[in-house]
Amino acid sequence: MKENTMHAADFHHEIAERHDKALIVDFGSQVTQLIARRVREAGVYCEIAPFQNAEAAFADIRPKAVILSGSPCSVTEEGSPRAPESIFSSGVPVLAICYGEQLLAAQLGGAVEGGHHREFGRAAIDVLADSPLFAGVWEKGGTYPVWMSHGDRVTRLPPGFRVIAASPNAPMAAIADEARRYYGVQFHLEVVHTPDGAKLLANFVHKVAGLKSDWTMAAFRQEAVSAIRHQVGRGRVLCGLSGGVDSAVAAVLVHEAIGDALTCVFVDHGLLRESEAEEVVRLFRNHYNIPLVHVRAQELFLEALAGVEDPEGKRKTIGRLFIETFEEEAKKIAHDGKGAPQFLAQGTLYPDVIESVSFAGGPSVTIKSHHNVGGLPERMNMKLVEPLRELFKDEVRALGRELGLPEAFVGRHPFPGPGLAIRCPGAISREKLAILRKADALLLDEIRKAGLYDDIWQAFAVLLPVRTVGVMGDGRTYDHVLALRAVTSTDGMTADYYGFDMNFLGRVATRIINEVRGVNRVVYDVTSKPPGTIEWE
């Protein structure tokens, strides 16, 4: 196998070039990623580009369809974002959503006005005409539920357009120029609150734009293995394991490509869930026989975190120590007689890439696999291998199943990189971590026994920085308050609390009070998660 110095960007292009592609132009909507998720679910590869970079992205990836996202901006404001004119002169089909519809109208000769009745939330839409966008989903004359979020609206159609659907507060709720294959919708197709939205998006990419459904995890696996071999050549790769799904799938995929040229480094910082470290070691050493260095660094991390109360301070401390520990192990591995590693594999996902480009101004160099803070020191002089950088979380899980990872591992609830440190507000201690770890395990045990684990996106315990007086038996106690959280989600972008029945909550609380010394009160958090936040912590 010949040497090759292919970079992460080249890896990206090698994968993307094999598929029909759609480009999503992001104007700052909180839910732009959901558009991409729905398109991927339809079996079509797509990428997101911020509007500032859209012209270059359009020329680079040569998409067969373009989708314009929503935005918090107003088309009527001077200096508000615009779409590249090259998109409209290309002949490529366009679907414009919310702000995108208003932008489409304004840029093609129509009119948009503000100051009309604002509309946020559920609405009913009347279909006024048959259209390829609605084919097999909505019928002319029917009324259907959608999710609206707008203050402005289109008041004059551009030449060539007609109205195909309307609502009381949006007379031009859906518009079309079928000759040019341009469509605009005032409502949000991408959110689950528009029940048929995913089907309409599938109609656009398949029936309007004619894109193939060739984006599958089986195909991606083969392509990624080939691309990894091309990138790495005869090189040696290190991978930082966290115990989470992303780094595990990345490691197994890289191992399939290059075998024992991969060495995994698992920095055990003592902030994982019960038995999690043992599960990681057992899976990689025994099940996959992947070379693994298990670094027992619990004392180092816990001593450094002693007295640190600020959550961001905890993150930075964990991030700094992780990098220092990982770097030290990399130096040891470089002198094991097999040659120095030239590559670092990490479980960077597509949302990480999107956020780094949209909000940080450039590609992320953060070691995503463990803590989501800090960066890869330049002195390490290693090239990145990021085989999951095209994928969303659900796609990573699907790839994990394709690779044969155990379902109990692939389907486990998300766990933040800093681990239990941020589920223990205030200063942490070994005693608090022990209480939290045991209570968390009891909660998950009861959820599994009730057959609810797969219905819940994420469930966990939080040890609050509060102590309360209680009565247990014939005596008073002054112990910790424990909060429980469980949320449902289909996308990880928005979530709502899970509606446990009181008998279940009573059973869990009773077990925790009886079996976890140091807790005398248990509460259930019913806070919902708003759009745009990435992780429950």
Side-chain angles (χ1 to χ4, degrees), residues 19-38:
H19 301 276
D20 283 351
K21 296 177 285 294
L23 174 67
I24 300 166
V25 180
D26 181 16
F27 295 102
S29 170
Q30 294 185 90
V31 290
T32 298
Q33 289 188 26
L34 296 187
I35 304 173
R37 291 284 299 276
R38 303 297 172 248

Side-chain angles (χ1 to χ4, degrees), residues 56-102:
F58 182 74
D60 181 39
I61 74 170
R62 302 184 302 280
K64 293 186 176 180
V66 171
I67 300 174
L68 307 180
S69 85
S71 174
C73 302
S74 170
V75 171
T76 63
E77 294 175 355
E78 185 176 353
S80 57
R82 291 293 185 266
E85 291 297 332
S86 56
I87 290 176
F88 300 121
S89 62
S90 67
V92 169
V94 175
L95 173 64
I97 300 172
C98 198
Y99 176 89
E101 184 202 45
Q102 298 159 13

Side-chain angles (χ1 to χ4, degrees), residues 52-375:
Q52 303 96 319
N53 302 340
E55 187 157 18
F58 182 74
D60 181 39
I61 74 170
R62 302 184 302 280
K64 293 186 176 180
V66 171
I67 300 174
L68 307 180
S69 85
S71 174
C73 302
S74 170
V75 171
T76 63
E77 294 175 355
E78 185 176 353
S80 57
R82 291 293 185 266
E85 291 297 332
S86 56
I87 290 176
F88 300 121
S89 62
S90 67
V92 169
V94 175
L95 173 64
I97 300 172
C98 198
Y99 176 89
E101 184 202 45
Q102 298 159 13
L103 193 65
L104 182 74
Q107 290 191 227
L108 296 182
V112 177
E113 295 180 7
H116 294 280
H117 181 74
R118 299 191 306 165
E119 192 171 24
F120 299 95
R122 290 180 175 83
I125 191 170
D126 298 318
V127 174
L128 307 180
D130 292 323
S131 168
L133 187 66
F134 301 154
V137 183
W138 287 353
E139 296 181 354
K140 180 180 178 181
T143 299
Y144 302 93
V146 298
W147 188 263
M148 292 284 192
S149 181
H150 66 95
D152 301 344
R153 69 186 188 191
V154 178
T155 55
R156 188 181 73 245
L157 289 175
F161 279 80
R162 62 174 179 144
V163 178
I164 56 175
S167 74
N169 293 318
M172 300 180 188
I175 60 176
D177 179 343
E178 264 120 15
R180 289 185 287 181
R181 295 183 295 175
Y182 289 170
Y183 295 85
V185 295
Q186 186 60 72
F187 51 93
H188 283 277
L189 293 168
E190 66 273 32
V191 300
V192 295
H193 307 83
T194 299
D196 295 322
K199 296 176 183 177
L200 299 180
L201 275 165
N203 272 353
F204 174 71
V205 295
H206 293 314
K207 296 184 178 180
V208 173
L211 277 69
K212 299 189 295 288
S213 291
D214 61 358
W215 180 251
T216 67
M217 286 305 99
F220 177 84
R221 175 184 180 179
Q222 294 178 347
E223 295 163 7
V225 165
S226 173
I228 292 166
R229 289 172 179 163
H230 184 198
Q231 180 183 6
V232 172
R234 295 181 181 275
R236 193 174 180 193
V237 181
L238 290 185
C239 179
L241 280 181
S242 69
V245 175
D246 303 338
S247 63
V249 172
V252 173
L253 183 63
V254 172
H255 185 256
E256 181 168 295
I258 63 172
D260 288 350
L262 168 72
T263 299
C264 291
V265 177
F266 172 42
V267 179
D268 182 358
H269 55 18
L271 302 168
L272 299 174
R273 291 172 288 201
E274 188 174 85
S275 303
E276 201 156 49
E278 293 82 357
E279 290 172 9
V280 172
V281 173
R282 186 165 54 249
L283 178 68
F284 282 86
R285 282 186 178 163
N286 300 340
H287 187 78
Y288 283 102
N289 197 29
I290 296 176
L292 172 68
V293 177
H294 181 193
V295 185
R296 295 172 175 83
Q298 296 95 325
E299 294 300 320
L300 173 68
F301 279 80
L302 294 182
E303 287 177 10
L305 288 167
V308 180
E309 298 188 7
D310 176 60
E312 193 59 27
K314 292 178 184 178
R315 285 180 170 278
K316 290 179 178 178
T317 300
I318 293 167
R320 174 180 57 80
L321 289 176
F322 179 82
I323 291 171
E324 291 173 359
T325 306
F326 190 89
E327 186 179 13
E328 187 64 30
E329 292 303 316
K331 291 177 182 177
K332 295 177 185 177
I333 292 168
H335 293 91
D336 65 1
K338 298 179 183 178
Q342 300 89 21
F343 297 89
L344 173 69
Q346 61 183 40
T348 306
L349 304 191
Y350 194 48
D352 300 325
V353 176
I354 296 166
E355 288 157 20
S356 67
V357 172
S358 297
F359 303 112
S364 173
V365 294
T366 301
I367 297 179
K368 302 291 182 183
S369 61
H370 207 285
H371 46 72
N372 294 332
V373 291

